[in-house]
Amino acid sequence: MIKVYDGNNSLRRRIFRVISVPRQATTEQVLTAALHAFHITKDPSNFYLTDLYATDETELCDPTPVLNLSRKEGKRPAVFLRFKDSETGEVRVYPGKLQVSDSFCIVPVAETTTVADLIEEALQKFGLENFKSEDYRCSEILLDRGVTEKVLTREEKPWEIVKQLGKDSIRQMELMRFYLQLKQDPHGPNLALFVGNLPVNQPERIYENILTELLGKENKFSSIGTIYYEYGSMVIIYEDANKAVRALYTLQESKYEDKHLLVMPLPSIEPTMVPSDVQPLLVFVNVKSGGCQGLQLISSFRKLLNPYQVFDLDNGGPLPGLYVFRHIRDYKILVCGGDGTIGWVLQCLDNVGQDSECSSPACAIVPLGTGNDLARVLCWGSGYTGDEDPLNLLRDVIDAEESQLDRWTVVFHTEEKEDKQLSNNPGGAGATNEDNTQIYVMNNYFGIGVDAELCLAFHKAREENPDKFRSRFRNKGMYVTMALRQMVKKTACKDLHTKIRLEVDGRLVELPQVEGIIILNILSWGSGANPWGPDTKVDQFYTPNHWDGILEVVGVTGVLHLGQIQSSIRGGMRIAQGGHIKIHLQSDIPVQVDGEPWIQSAGDIVVLKSALTVILATMLKKTKGKMKRRNTESSMQLALQAAPSGEPEPEVF
């Protein structure tokens, strides 16, 4: 086991990757493993290794260096991954918003090459040699933590910039781009600002007054773009770039009602910028899911794709990305997160669809959550491990087939005029009316009784000690521990069948003796279990799927039964199938919708298809095997703009 540092900054910040190599590994094998650890696919001859703990930093030349690496007591051996310092090299220049056929060009550079020389050479390679180089600028785009842009002066030396970045961090060097753009952008400069953390459901006049007071009249915006009332977010537009920059910094330092505002500039993506034969991909990553895997994925996708099509959900949620893509007529979405994250994106699509050219883009999944039941049904796997090549994930999206997903509205109406104990719902799926009615959207399943009670206990424990719930394995262990405690605890779910009345498609259903009911839209629950059981062809029920407009009602007798279902020892009790379900609760009972639990007061619950939400979502189902891969190369050219060298560097979309 060897620690690999990729530069001086990584050593100062003690950030490294660990590789595992045989003791007799050659220097070339160790170098290859180090490059693979940092997802670097460039020619290995451009890099070398040094012994971190050696007295002087010299290139490793030992044929089998592992056993001879310097060691400090109690520490693993460590190496530096270094970029070779040469007088000449080559850099890639990307066309930004310029209407050219190539996604990038390669420009040879030397230590004396200036940015002005780089612009001149890039214009010729892009076929724009008749244009004046003085009308263009070159920017350095860094993709490490977000997307930051620095406009370079014409005297700066691009090769020196690359080499300095390589000394500090090869990973950051790999995540740097040179962008060529017109000084006067024909699409207009990037003057849209997304503003979040405002109070929800206020009139437009209130939002305008809040921002005007914070900004001052001298920095007031030119117009309001879109207001997302239910999320307390909006987009403001500036015609003056200097005002927009001042407003950005002012709002980033501002609070309203003791909450820091969330502010971010939005890129401008117009349909004319997307080639007619390309279907763009909008990527959402929940960096809080799956430990640090979300951070690794967002870094990789920003490198492989245009960074402006990759959005961090921790920074404004799905709305900024959906706003940027609102004029694109046909695109796909890749959601990296758990089932709750997918529901969040679908819910935002419901709310912005009427203002977008593409109201229901097909969604693929990289499962980063704990349960990942929807991802399992759509064949995306039980959970991303970090071993998969991000480029192969993009290939899987290209190969995937469209699949419809039923979506349901769950309406809760309580008899008492009292506040319910609701959990936080980051997806904004719940909406409360004045008549004490709560409305949720269900994608996966809805539980009443012992299942929801256990889910609520887990939810509360995770809120109280979030640091103990940072891995799938540990989460499942904690869930089992809570289930054992629940078995010996007095439960409000005992004799549940006497406390509720169930109607399916207008018909009263007699309930068996149960402590819980699970209503299924998909045949995966509790991290891959199937409470409905396999298709036996021996009862009156239809073979279910997630696009037939029918729900399955399953009963469970207690915590032990839940464990047996999750262990595939036993199935649930099949009770009914139908497209309209009504339940009357006679007392307070735990409930959960797609893993969001709370205690529901006595009253009526209705599950139905409704115009309140998009009835069907278009999802992408991963194809099994590699049968379609024979067409992957041409597909990659269309969807990802692969480089002629075979190293995919998609840049347009």
Side-chain angles (χ1 to χ4, degrees):
M1 307 294 288
I2 301 174
K3 292 191 291 188
V4 182
Y5 292 87
D6 74 319
N8 300 337
N9 283 349
S10 70
L11 181 61
R12 280 194 294 268
R13 295 164 60 189
R14 297 184 179 179
I15 297 174
F16 57 86
R17 306 258 170 102
V18 177
I19 60 173
S20 175
V21 295
R23 294 179 183 276
Q24 297 300 321
T26 64
T27 301
E28 290 74 19
Q29 289 172 326
V30 179
L31 176 61
T32 300
L35 292 171
H36 180 74
F38 286 97
H39 302 292
I40 296 172
T41 56
K42 289 183 178 176
D43 187 349
S45 64
N46 292 326
F47 304 90
Y48 65 95
L49 298 172
T50 66
D51 187 342
L52 178 68
Y53 298 131
T55 53
D56 59 335
E57 187 175 345
T58 57
E59 182 177 350
L60 287 183
C61 298
D62 191 331
T64 54
V66 177
L67 295 176
N68 296 323
L69 287 174
S70 304
R71 283 168 169 77
K72 284 194 174 182
E73 186 176 351
K75 292 188 177 183
R76 290 173 177 159
V79 296
F80 259 132
L81 176 63
R82 292 297 199 185
F83 180 65
K84 287 186 177 178
D85 188 354
S86 59
E87 296 181 357
T88 61
E90 57 185 30
V91 298
R92 292 183 177 185
V93 180
Y94 295 84
K97 298 178 183 178
L98 304 182
Q99 295 300 298
V100 297
S101 58
D102 296 325
S103 55
F104 64 87
C105 68
I106 297 176
V107 178
V109 290
E111 292 180 337
T112 57
T113 303
T114 63
V115 167
D117 299 329
L118 189 72
I119 293 173
E120 191 82 42
E121 183 71 19
L123 287 174
Q124 291 187 19
K125 288 183 176 290
F126 285 132
L128 302 173
E129 60 271 9
N130 295 327
F131 292 81
K132 295 180 180 178
S133 66
E134 294 80 10
D135 294 335
Y136 293 82
R137 59 183 171 86
C138 184
S139 297
E140 174 190 349
I141 305 287
L142 293 175
L143 314 178
D144 186 23
R145 294 183 177 272
V147 182
T148 57
E149 177 178 2
K150 174 190 173 186
V151 178
L152 301 172
T153 66
R154 295 177 68 84
E155 294 75 31
E156 289 187 76
K157 309 290 178 59
W159 190 233
E160 288 302 315
I161 293 172
V162 171
K163 289 197 294 183
Q164 185 56 51
L165 266 176
K167 289 178 182 177
D168 290 338
S169 170
I170 289 177
R171 183 176 58 86
Q172 287 184 339
M173 181 185 76
E174 289 287 291
L175 294 174
M176 189 272 287
R177 300 281 186 271
F178 290 113
Y179 268 70
L180 183 65
Q181 294 173 315
L182 276 167
K183 289 182 178 178
Q184 298 297 323
D185 191 340
H187 299 291
N190 183 13
L191 300 175
L193 298 182
F194 179 87
V195 184
N197 278 352
L198 295 165
V200 300
N201 295 321
Q202 298 296 312
E204 179 176 336
R205 176 180 54 82
I206 298 296
Y207 290 125
E208 186 173 358
N209 290 343
I210 291 171
L211 293 185
T212 301
E213 184 177 340
L214 293 172
L215 290 166
K217 292 185 178 179
E218 67 279 4
N219 280 332
K220 188 180 177 183
F221 42 88
S222 306
S223 61
I224 292 175
T226 302
I227 300 177
Y228 305 106
Y229 295 95
E230 56 269 63
Y231 297 97
S233 303
M234 62 190 298
V235 177
I236 54 177
I237 309 297
Y238 280 89
E239 294 178 0
D240 184 301
N242 293 325
K243 277 189 177 182
V245 172
R246 288 197 297 268
L248 173 66
Y249 290 124
T250 299
L251 293 177
Q252 283 178 337
E253 299 298 322
S254 298
K255 283 184 178 181
Y256 187 79
E257 295 180 346
D258 294 327
K259 290 171 65 177
H260 280 287
L261 295 186
L262 188 153
V263 190
M264 58 187 295
L266 299 178
S268 174
I269 297 180
E270 299 296 330
T272 54
M273 298 162 59
V274 183
S276 59
D277 55 353
V278 169
Q279 188 180 32
L281 182 66
L282 172 60
V283 180
F284 291 120
V285 182
N286 188 342
V287 296
K288 291 183 177 179
S289 296
C292 64
Q293 292 171 342
L295 288 171
Q296 293 174 357
L297 276 175
I298 200 168
S299 175
S300 296
F301 285 141
R302 280 178 172 157
K303 176 184 171 184
L304 289 165
L305 300 166
N306 184 317
Y308 289 111
Q309 70 194 95
V310 182
F311 287 83
D312 179 354
L313 289 174
D314 198 32
N315 195 15
L319 294 175
L322 296 176
Y323 178 85
V324 168
F325 270 61
R326 71 196 185 284
H327 293 150
I328 306 301
R329 297 182 182 88
D330 184 24
Y331 68 95
K332 296 178 181 179
I333 292 177
L334 176 60
V335 182
C336 306
D339 287 347
T341 304
I342 299 158
W344 188 12
V345 172
L346 293 178
Q347 185 68 26
C348 288
L349 277 170
D350 293 342
N351 294 327
V352 307
Q354 65 272 20
D355 298 321
S356 303
E357 291 287 334
C358 183
S359 60
S360 186
C363 297
I365 304 169
V366 176
L368 298 182
T370 300
N372 301 316
D373 286 296
L374 183 55
R376 294 169 193 263
V377 167
L378 296 171
C379 301
W380 293 104
S382 59
Y384 177 71
T385 63
D387 295 331
E388 297 93 329
D389 186 340
L391 183 59
N392 285 336
L393 297 177
L394 297 178
R395 289 192 176 105
D396 289 337
V397 175
I398 293 171
D399 291 347
E401 298 174 344
E402 289 192 3
S403 176
Q404 299 300 310
L405 174 71
D406 288 331
R407 303 181 68 219
W408 302 83
T409 298
V410 188
V411 183
F412 299 89
H413 180 73
T414 57
E415 293 175 346
E416 299 101 1
K417 299 291 184 180
E418 64 182 16
D419 292 332
K420 291 173 292 185
Q421 182 184 350
L422 287 174
S423 64
N424 293 327
N425 184 0
T432 305
N433 296 335
E434 291 181 1
D435 64 350
N436 214 23
T437 297
Q438 187 81 10
I439 301 172
Y440 277 80
V441 175
M442 181 187 80
N443 301 311
N444 295 359
Y445 35 71
F446 163 45
I448 303 174
V450 65
D451 160 48
E453 188 175 53
L454 188 55
C455 184
L456 184 61
F458 181 82
H459 185 85
K460 287 180 177 178
R462 183 164 56 181
E463 283 191 333
E464 291 171 2
N465 296 287
D467 291 339
K468 293 183 178 180
F469 295 81
R470 296 195 180 276
S471 74
R472 294 189 193 102
F473 182 77
R474 187 157 189 179
N475 287 357
K476 290 177 180 177
M478 294 292 286
Y479 204 89
V480 170
T481 301
M482 290 174 188
L484 293 173
R485 289 176 186 166
Q486 211 76 12
M487 288 178 69
V488 297
K489 186 179 174 185
K490 187 176 179 180
T491 173
C493 307
K494 187 171 178 59
D495 298 325
L496 180 72
H497 57 289
T498 66
K499 301 175 183 178
I500 68 175
R501 187 178 70 246
L502 172 67
E503 294 179 18
V504 178
D505 291 340
R507 179 176 59 87
L508 185 65
V509 177
E510 184 176 349
L511 288 171
Q513 187 170 341
V514 293
E515 290 187 6
I517 287 178
I518 305 170
I519 298 171
L520 298 166
N521 182 42
I522 64 174
L523 294 183
S524 182
W525 162 93
S527 301
N530 180 6
W532 186 253
D535 186 17
T536 60
K537 304 289 186 184
V538 296
D539 54 29
Q540 74 275 25
F541 298 113
Y542 299 106
T543 301
N545 57 54
H546 51 268
W547 63 87
D548 56 7
I550 299 294
L551 293 166
E552 284 65 49
V553 184
V554 177
V556 292
T557 59
V559 175
L560 179 60
H561 192 185
L562 284 175
Q564 291 171 331
I565 292 172
Q566 285 195 317
S567 303
S568 301
I569 297 172
R570 182 181 170 195
M573 302 169 67
R574 295 184 180 183
I575 294 175
Q577 286 179 308
H580 188 284
I581 295 172
K582 184 176 181 180
I583 300 168
H584 178 73
L585 301 183
Q586 298 174 10
S587 61
D588 295 359
I589 298 290
V591 300
Q592 62 104 344
V593 175
D594 286 346
E596 291 292 332
W598 67 92
I599 302 295
Q600 176 64 31
S601 299
D604 291 324
I605 305 171
V606 179
V607 186
L608 72 164
K609 285 297 188 75
S610 168
L612 290 172
T613 183
V614 176
I615 293 176
L616 282 170
T618 304
M619 305 301 292
L620 287 169
K621 184 176 181 179
K622 183 179 176 181
T623 54
K624 295 181 179 180
K626 306 293 183 182
M627 292 298 292
K628 295 184 66 178
R629 284 293 165 84
R630 62 181 181 274
N631 295 323
T632 295
E633 289 307 315
S634 59
S635 299
M636 290 293 289
Q637 290 286 339
L638 292 177
L640 300 180
Q641 300 291 311
S645 65
E647 178 195 352
E649 275 289 353
E651 189 48 45
V652 178
F653 288 94

